[in-house]
Amino acid sequence: MRLILLGPPGAGKGTQAKRLEDLYGLKQLSTGDMLRAEIASASDLGKKVESILAAGDLVSDDIMVEMIAHRITKPDCEKGFILDGFPRTVAQAEALDDMLTNHKLNLNAVIEMQVDEDELSKRVQKRAKEDGTRADDNVEILKKRMEVYHEQTAPIIPYYQSKSILKTVDGMQSIDNVASAIDIILKID
Ligand code: AMP
């Protein structure tokens, strides 16, 4: 099974992706985590993207597409994967389509997690307090990340809608209820 979890920062994509990974053996591919690992290891790529993440901007499509293209063919993705944080632009979505077609793979679902933005701001502030490791978890940068989401990422929603693959869940529910809604979409009992 191959899925995309879509939604603004703080929508709960990572939490739900982790659960799907633990329960069903699908690999969570979080591009944010991959980039943070590059930064932590002070690799050339890490040095290049550090200030971009800190500012809440998007890393270039070329870098991101290459990162995912390498990743989805690894053996741990054979049972399937959950894309968490990719694609974030229509160009990335189109590149993903090409990649999947080349590997004769399909997407089972794109699940949009819809949330209220005031609630998001609260969640991200809470996360910033509990886990001070993310330089981009503060109110100013969250504002920037929300703008970037609306301007650059939200246009992928109609893109997937037009392919009749988009599903929506109410991300304001409890974690368990969001999980159940996702399971229903995926027809997992
Ligand atoms: P996330 O953990 O998914 O919120 O990602 C953290 C940051 O990593 C984002 O604010 C971007 O700067 C960068 N990033 C992650 N995924 C992508 C992507 N697919 N395209 C561009 N930038 C990305």
Side-chain angles (χ1 to χ4, degrees), residues 31-32 35-36 52-53 57-59 64 85-86 88 92 134 136 145:
T31 42
L35 291 167
R36 283 185 287 276
I52 300 174
L53 268 78
D57 285 320
L58 292 186
V59 173
M64 299 315 301
F86 182 96
R88 254 177 159 101
Q92 290 180 17
R134 286 190 58 164
D136 57 354
R145 290 165 64 208

Side-chain angles (χ1 to χ4, degrees), residues 27-94:
K27 186 70 194 163
Q28 176 189 10
L29 299 180
S30 159
T31 42
D33 284 351
M34 292 176 202
L35 291 167
R36 283 185 287 276
E38 295 287 341
I39 293 169
S41 69
S43 67
D44 287 345
L45 175 59
K47 285 179 201 153
K48 199 165 159 184
V49 301
E50 188 166 13
S51 60
I52 300 174
L53 268 78
D57 285 320
L58 292 186
V59 173
S60 75
D61 289 335
D62 288 354
I63 291 178
M64 299 315 301
V65 167
E66 198 188 324
M67 187 176 254
I68 282 295
H70 276 103
R71 200 58 196 79
I72 61 170
T73 54
K74 295 239 169 110
D76 60 357
C77 287
E78 240 167 53
K79 274 180 116 179
F81 53 77
I82 310 140
L83 290 170
D84 159 15
F86 182 96
R88 254 177 159 101
T89 63
V90 171
Q92 290 180 17
E94 288 169 348

Side-chain angles (χ1 to χ4, degrees), residues 84-155:
D84 159 15
F86 182 96
R88 254 177 159 101
T89 63
V90 171
Q92 290 180 17
E94 288 169 348
L96 176 65
D97 277 346
D98 290 346
M99 256 180 246
L100 293 171
T101 305
N102 288 340
H103 295 294
K104 297 193 169 51
L105 298 173
N106 67 328
L107 276 177
N108 299 80
V110 178
I111 302 179
E112 183 201 355
M113 301 177 63
Q114 288 186 334
V115 283
D116 176 277
E117 292 191 14
D118 289 340
E119 175 64 24
L120 280 189
S121 176
K122 277 185 220 148
R123 284 189 194 176
V124 173
Q125 286 180 57
K126 188 163 170 263
R127 187 159 78 184
K129 254 188 235 157
E130 286 167 2
D131 162 19
T133 55
R134 286 190 58 164
D136 57 354
D137 264 355
N138 64 59
V139 182
E140 295 78 53
I141 300 299
L142 174 66
K143 216 171 142 228
K144 170 74 184 173
R145 290 165 64 208
M146 291 300 309
E147 276 168 28
V148 168
Y149 180 80
H150 286 301
E151 282 165 19
Q152 301 192 57
T153 305

